[in-house]
Amino acid sequence: MKNKEIVYLVSDSVGETAELMVKAVAAQFNGGEVDIKHFSYVQEKEEIQHIVELAKLRNSMIAYTLVVPSLKNFLDEKSQEEGIIAVDLMHPLMEAFSKKFQSGPKSEPGLMRRLDENYFRRVEAIEFAVKYDDGQDPRGLKHADMVLIGVSRTSKTPLSMYLAHKRFKVANIPLVPEVAPPKELFTIPKNKVVGLIITPTKLNEIRIERLKNLGLTTQANYANLERILDELDYAEKIMKRIGCPVINVSNKAIEETADIILAMFKQRGEATL
């Protein structure tokens, strides 16, 4: 079996850009069968010297994203001396930008990651929503930007994830008559909490459809109208006790409900859109 061609990726940051570009190009050749070797956060010429030696030993090529001129020039020089193909993945676009904006680049490694704070906030919020979904750990409520409460099938989870993509940390708590809400729910500021309600008939329809999708009988107590009325009555009492705003989600899309919540928080100066 033929060995895969090796490509050495060299970057003075993480190297994500180089990897994506190499994989995209490699897909056009032999189905992308290349072995990628990463060298991230390269900051010394000695490291570059070592990488060039390895590439020569393995008869490999180098693809790099080095924005520090001295490191880039050193890699170009050593690669040329050893007869190794070294491709600067950023230089052509960097030159085009320089001409367009009539200024030179900052030449600072990892600048994109430092600037893209919104990306990391979004990832953190999504991880938070997953971790504190469906009342998994009530200790997280005090760290949430928003807490959604309601009976089962009032769109708490999809709404939490949608708001997480807007960079808000959202936890949600199901309200069930047989299970007392966590004590933490009554200790956090009430303006963090949003109650979600729904009409009994709409909830009955949703739950029946849910049972059908699961291959279960639609006569289960879960979809029983009397049971639903009890749950909604219990949830309403909890919401009144907290004193939180309440939204009827009966005929609303996730995006519509999210817009209402964000408008409420923005009005109080607690949401930055």
Side-chain angles (χ1 to χ4, degrees):
M1 189 165 95
K2 184 181 177 182
N3 292 331
K4 292 182 181 180
E5 296 292 340
I6 299 174
V7 178
Y8 287 89
L9 297 188
V10 184
S11 176
D12 40 26
S13 186
V14 178
E16 293 170 323
T17 304
E19 181 175 4
L20 289 172
M21 291 183 71
V22 167
K23 284 183 175 179
V25 174
Q28 303 294 324
F29 298 88
N30 195 29
E33 293 294 313
V34 295
D35 189 6
I36 298 175
K37 303 293 185 183
H38 291 262
F39 292 89
S40 303
Y41 301 106
V42 174
Q43 298 178 351
E44 304 292 338
K45 291 181 178 180
E46 289 76 9
E47 295 177 82
I48 292 175
Q49 180 69 54
H50 175 64
I51 295 166
V52 170
E53 291 172 358
L54 286 175
K56 182 180 181 180
L57 184 65
R58 300 288 186 86
N59 191 28
S60 304
M61 66 176 290
I62 297 173
Y64 68 89
T65 53
L66 296 172
V67 297
V68 178
S70 60
L71 297 180
K72 167 192 160 42
N73 294 336
F74 185 78
L75 178 53
D76 287 339
E77 178 186 331
K78 293 300 175 183
S79 298
Q80 190 171 6
E81 287 178 3
E82 300 295 345
I84 296 168
I85 297 173
V87 183
D88 184 344
L89 300 177
M90 297 181 71
H91 186 66
L93 191 56
M94 198 87 77
E95 276 197 329
F97 268 66
S98 294
K99 290 178 182 177
K100 178 64 178 176
F101 297 114
Q102 297 183 345
S103 64
K106 293 183 177 179
S107 300
E108 296 180 32
L111 193 57
M112 183 178 74
R113 281 187 161 266
R114 292 202 296 275
L115 290 175
D116 198 8
E117 181 184 350
N118 287 339
Y119 168 80
F120 291 104
R121 285 178 60 188
R122 183 177 294 111
V123 170
E124 186 180 6
I126 292 170
E127 291 175 347
F128 187 94
V130 171
K131 184 175 182 179
Y132 299 111
D133 179 46
D134 206 30
Q136 291 184 70
D137 186 353
R139 292 174 299 178
L141 297 185
K142 63 182 179 181
H143 302 297
D145 297 318
M146 307 172 187
V147 178
L148 308 180
I149 60 174
V151 301
S152 173
R153 313 313 294 177
T154 48
S155 303
K156 296 185 300 299
T157 295
L159 187 54
S160 295
M161 293 305 298
Y162 183 88
L163 290 167
H165 279 275
K166 299 286 186 180
R167 306 185 302 279
F168 293 98
K169 295 179 180 178
V170 186
N172 70 79
I173 300 291
L175 299 179
V176 185
E178 293 78 16
V179 181
K183 62 182 185 298
E184 290 86 353
L185 184 59
F186 303 100
T187 62
I188 61 176
K190 65 181 181 181
N191 57 7
K192 277 190 174 185
V193 184
V194 177
L196 305 177
I197 61 170
I198 189 171
T199 62
T201 51
K202 184 65 175 180
L203 184 57
N204 178 248
E205 293 173 7
I206 293 172
R207 288 189 175 183
I208 287 176
E209 194 61 33
R210 174 63 173 166
L211 290 172
K212 286 180 180 178
N213 291 338
L214 293 174
L216 302 174
T217 173
T218 57
Q219 303 304 312
N221 193 43
Y222 179 69
N224 180 275
L225 192 55
E226 187 175 341
R227 165 66 182 183
I228 286 174
L229 289 169
D230 288 341
E231 287 187 41
L232 292 173
D233 181 60
Y234 173 76
E236 185 179 350
K237 289 176 181 177
I238 296 296
M239 293 172 194
K240 284 183 177 179
R241 178 181 168 187
I242 295 172
C244 63
V246 176
I247 300 173
N248 190 323
V249 301
S250 301
N251 298 301
K252 291 182 176 64
I254 297 298
E255 297 84 353
E256 188 178 357
T257 305
D259 285 345
I260 294 172
I261 293 173
L262 292 175
M264 289 191 305
F265 276 70
K266 186 179 182 182
Q267 190 174 22
R268 297 198 298 257
E270 296 168 13
T272 303
L273 302 182

